[in-house]
Amino acid sequence: MRLRHHPKSGVARRLAATVETADSTLAQFRGLTFRRSLPEGYALAFRFGSARPRDVHMLFVFVPLDVIWVEEGVVRRVERLRPWRGIARERADLLLELPAGAADGVEPGDELVLERT
């Protein structure tokens, strides 16, 4: 899968060329913990059946992340979280974790689309 960003104004662009999905409970619990680096163009997607508040913590995460909360395809929040200390919460049915800096230019109200490759 890949991730496409459609800003409210401007040209659509590919945000991530490689999107891994955390579909199982174990994969969602593990997330990006213990990873020492992330490749450029990578994202981890957490897809949920319904929208509700979703927490992200950075305990045992060694790299900074850009986290995007999405509800019905529309960005609700974008936050850069620091290793070990970051924590944030927002309503979402899709949560995306990317290397820090990858979500620069993504703003609430923009659309994000997961595309099959």
Side-chain angles (χ1 to χ4, degrees):
M1 295 177 89
R2 62 183 167 216
L3 180 62
R4 195 142 186 85
H5 172 219
H6 297 270
K8 287 185 286 192
S9 61
V11 178
R13 67 184 173 113
R14 184 171 54 198
L15 199 58
T18 304
V19 179
E20 181 181 347
T21 57
D23 291 329
S24 71
T25 302
L26 179 59
Q28 290 175 357
F29 179 74
R30 186 179 66 232
L32 294 174
T33 57
F34 303 110
R35 296 206 191 171
R36 301 265 179 200
S37 65
L38 297 174
E40 189 173 319
Y42 173 85
L44 179 61
F46 300 80
R47 296 182 291 184
F48 304 100
S50 62
R52 67 176 183 85
R54 307 288 174 181
D55 297 319
V56 175
H57 70 83
M58 297 293 286
L59 192 61
F60 297 107
V61 178
F62 297 103
V63 296
L65 299 177
D66 284 351
V67 181
I68 306 171
W69 289 261
V70 180
E71 185 175 4
E72 296 183 11
V74 178
V75 174
R76 291 187 55 93
R77 180 178 181 178
V78 181
E79 187 82 26
R80 182 157 303 150
L81 298 178
R82 296 181 1 204
W84 288 93
R85 296 182 181 185
I87 188 165
R89 175 183 232 188
E90 183 61 66
R91 184 176 174 85
D93 56 17
L94 172 65
L95 182 72
L96 298 150
E97 297 180 346
L98 302 97
D104 287 350
V106 178
E107 299 179 1
D110 290 353
E111 291 183 15
L112 290 181
V113 178
L114 284 174
E115 301 174 330
R116 295 207 181 274
T117 52

